[in-house]
Amino acid sequence: MKAEFGRMEIFENYSLKSLNTFGVEARAKYFVQLRNEQDAKELAKTDLLRKHPYFILGGGSNVLFRDYFEGVIIQLENKGIEVAKEKNKGVKVRCAAGEDWHSFVEFCVRNDLGGLENLSLIPGKAGAAPIQNIGAYGVEQQDAFKELTAIDLMRGKLRKFKSRDCEFGYRNSYFKKNPRNPYLILNVSYQLSKEHKYNLSYGALQEHVAGKKHHDLSLQLISDLIVDIRKSKLPDPDMLGNAGSFFKNPVISAEQFRRLKSKYPEMAAYKLNERQYKIAAGWLIDKLGWKGKRKGDAGVHEKQALVIVNYGSASGEEIFNFSEGIRKDVMQHFDIGLEREVILI
Ligand code: FAD
Ligand code: EPU
């Protein structure tokens, strides 16, 4: 059902099933699709967002809808990639928030602009990349981030955010820390390089390029390898509903790390500094025998214990309850509290 609100076209009781990669059925009271900045300004002029809770949806690849959403879902569909500025060996590239992230990375690789190739094949839209500061295979988007433009949906005003304003951290940012922030990201700019420094710090990547010289490497080769590695480990959401890692990798104290390591010498962990270690949550969950486990249509992926999957018709609530079982078990056995990466709605 459609309704008019000022000059905006708004859908009511809208199904979100095809708009989240878990593929769970959920409905929103209102759904608004914005084509561009002008539409966003129009929306800010209405009192719709003052009267109702709202949530900005990108490609829905990091969210779990548990229930009916009694408010407004906003989706921005703007398009365009622009090589904004060239300076010696650096190139600033601006990407509209509504562009598919992987297509943007492919554009950069095709144009021999380095910096984002390790982030190939991450699902979702470009506008969501700064939200949790997406990262993979030794690189985070903050490493190439230049700035972003957002619109305050309450006041209709534009604001530029530089890197320090975004407060980027591991799977975190100013925007994720403040879920009530009014900012809709319109575009994101990255500072890319024509002179390539390949990041080969991730083990599997190193193995693939072993024996190759710097001049044998290319952005395309790295991107292709990343795509292959990802395809071998992670389920394709078009085939099996999921949202990537369900939990973040937890950070624990050096003291707790030493205690656990003496009991489990094979535990996968990385030293962050003298006081802290990051533990592979996938290892913890796997160790407790959850890999491949299933309850109804909610389950743990057979190849990656950090990925919860929807085998068909699991509801958001069923997936949530299943994930809570994992969290409790990890807490009981390892005294580690897992924090969700996926955003619950
Ligand atoms: P959504 O899931 O729709 O939203 C995520 C958050 O961004 C929400 O808080 C939303 O409000 C906000 N948001 C979205 N667009 C905007 C906007 N324009 N303005 C303001 N806020 C906005 N993540 C990684 O970091 N590394 C990985 O390696 C990785 N691998 C994955 C593999 C698979 C198979 C899947 C399914 C997911 C994976 N993810 C990974 C998680 C996910 O791809 C990222 O978090 C991605 O950035 C989410 O993009 P999205 O457009 O789908 O955002
Ligand atoms: N492991 C297991 N069993 C498993 C899974 C992992 O023992 O079932 C252990 C292995 O020892 C492995 C270690 O955990 O060496 C790490 O696993 P992997 O390299 O697959 O990475 P991850 O820590 O599970 C993180 C990100 C991914 C990202 C990859 C590659 C988080 C929460 N997840 O996963 O991001 O793609 O590294 O860099 O940081 C996402 O955020 O959605 C996501 C998929």
Side-chain angles (χ1 to χ4, degrees), residues 117-154:
E117 55 285 356
N118 289 40
L119 304 180
S120 297
L121 210 65
I122 296 183
K125 294 182 187 262
I131 302 295
Q132 74 159 6
N133 184 26
I134 55 171
Y137 307 101
V139 173
E140 287 179 322
Q141 67 87 49
Q142 69 169 328
D143 302 336
F145 180 89
K146 176 83 177 160
E147 63 187 17
L148 63 80
T149 309
I151 180 166
D152 177 338
L153 288 171
M154 287 295 143

Side-chain angles (χ1 to χ4, degrees), residues 23 31 45 53 65 107 116 172 180 215 247 260 284 308 312 335:
F31 177 77
K45 280 185 200 156
F65 291 107
F107 171 91
L116 299 175
N172 215 347
R180 297 269 153 264
H215 64 259
F247 301 104
L260 286 171
L284 299 171
I308 297 183
D335 194 25

Side-chain angles (χ1 to χ4, degrees), residues 136-137 170-171 202 233 245 247 249 280 286 291 304-305 341:
Y137 307 101
Y170 164 62
R171 296 295 188 271
Y202 189 82
K233 285 187 177 203
S245 302
F247 301 104
N249 285 327
D286 194 352
K291 205 164 172 170
Q304 231 294 0
E341 174 183 310

Side-chain angles (χ1 to χ4, degrees), residues 83-93 113 146 191-195:
V83 177
K85 224 188 249 172
E86 291 207 24
K87 235 191 207 172
N88 302 327
K89 286 165 186 132
V91 179
K92 183 177 148 190
V93 183
L113 302 174
K146 176 83 177 160
Q191 187 69 30
L192 303 175
S193 171
K194 289 182 178 172
E195 209 170 60

Side-chain angles (χ1 to χ4, degrees), residues 10-125:
I10 292 166
F11 294 88
E12 288 179 40
N13 192 28
Y14 198 80
S15 171
L16 304 169
K17 190 171 162 68
S18 64
L19 302 181
N20 72 95
T21 60
F22 263 122
V24 298
E25 177 56 290
R27 281 178 182 270
K29 188 173 171 76
Y30 299 114
F31 177 77
V32 189
Q33 201 164 57
L34 308 173
R35 287 160 303 174
N36 49 35
E37 181 183 321
Q38 198 48 42
D39 280 359
K41 284 186 171 152
E42 290 295 324
L43 178 64
K45 280 185 200 156
T46 72
D47 59 357
L48 190 67
L49 304 185
R50 272 174 275 277
K51 283 188 171 161
H52 303 278
Y54 63 91
F55 180 75
I56 298 163
L57 185 64
S61 64
N62 210 29
V63 295
L64 178 61
F65 291 107
R66 273 176 80 184
D67 211 349
Y68 183 74
F69 185 69
E70 190 68 54
V72 190
I73 298 284
I74 302 159
Q75 203 175 40
L76 175 61
E77 285 297 323
N78 62 344
K79 295 281 186 275
I81 300 174
E82 208 184 314
V83 177
K85 224 188 249 172
E86 291 207 24
K87 235 191 207 172
N88 302 327
K89 286 165 186 132
V91 179
K92 183 177 148 190
V93 183
R94 184 164 52 222
C95 182
E99 288 283 351
D100 171 66
W101 172 261
H102 179 61
S103 306
F104 172 52
V105 174
E106 283 182 322
F107 171 91
C108 300
V109 168
R110 248 193 340 268
N111 288 281
D112 207 35
L113 302 174
L116 299 175
E117 55 285 356
N118 289 40
L119 304 180
S120 297
L121 210 65
I122 296 183
K125 294 182 187 262

Side-chain angles (χ1 to χ4, degrees), residues 277-296:
Y277 283 77
K278 191 185 266 183
I279 311 296
W283 184 88
L284 299 171
I285 297 167
D286 194 352
K287 182 75 186 164
L288 295 176
W290 284 88
K291 205 164 172 170
K293 242 191 197 176
R294 178 170 172 171
K295 190 167 182 213

